[in-house]
Amino acid sequence: MYKYKPEKGPNRKRILAVDDAVIILRRITDALDEYYDVVTVSSGARALKYLEREKPDLILLDIRMMPKDGFETLQDIRSMKDRADIPVIMLTGVEDKKYVMEGIKLGICDYILKPFFPDDLLERIQRALEGREGNHT
């Protein structure tokens, strides 16, 4: 069982999940919504539109999406004013070292393969968020 007990209420962290597969977005929401405010979008373009208005605490980003894939989306996020520092975890079915290396070059903080285990996802999100907070204190 997952040990983390996050704050409830207005101080809950917000996570943006970006994936073109509705079933994956549902699994992410089911795994996280007890602990985080989860916002889901089904494309890179929708993620960028959301990011124009809002700044989530973390982004879960799929690689294989059309027409704009996860790497193109991440490049756009990294060029956005006041959004480039958002931690990004690649959550993907692509198990290929060159994809991992490309993600690292673009500043991802983790790479999780689908299908994921909910407890593993929660732990890695918590680690990424703690790392971010540690950088600002």
Side-chain angles (χ1 to χ4, degrees), residues 63 69-72 74-75 78 90 94 96-108 110-111:
I63 292 175
D69 72 21
F71 292 124
E72 294 168 315
L74 183 52
Q75 286 173 332
R78 293 299 184 226
M90 289 299 218
V94 180
D96 186 325
K97 196 177 231 174
K98 78 173 187 198
Y99 286 102
V100 175
M101 296 312 293
E102 180 66 23
I104 289 169
K105 278 191 231 165
L106 291 169
I108 64 168
D110 210 339
Y111 191 98

Side-chain angles (χ1 to χ4, degrees), residues 119-132:
D119 285 351
D120 182 46
L121 180 63
L122 284 162
E123 283 181 29
R124 287 162 168 239
I125 288 170
Q126 182 57 26
R127 201 175 318 143
L129 290 171
E130 285 172 354
R132 180 177 184 210

Side-chain angles (χ1 to χ4, degrees), residues 29-57:
T29 301
D30 289 347
L32 302 181
D33 70 351
E34 182 181 344
Y35 305 102
Y36 300 102
D37 290 331
V38 181
V39 176
T40 60
V41 294
S42 60
S43 71
R46 287 188 172 138
L48 295 169
K49 202 164 225 28
Y50 175 81
L51 289 167
E52 288 173 7
R53 301 181 318 271
E54 301 288 338
K55 184 175 183 181
D57 296 289

Side-chain angles (χ1 to χ4, degrees), residues 19-21 24 62-64 91-94 112-116:
D19 199 305
D20 57 355
I24 298 297
D62 186 24
I63 292 175
R64 286 195 178 146
L91 181 61
T92 182
V94 180
I112 301 173
L113 288 174
K114 295 188 253 183
F116 62 88

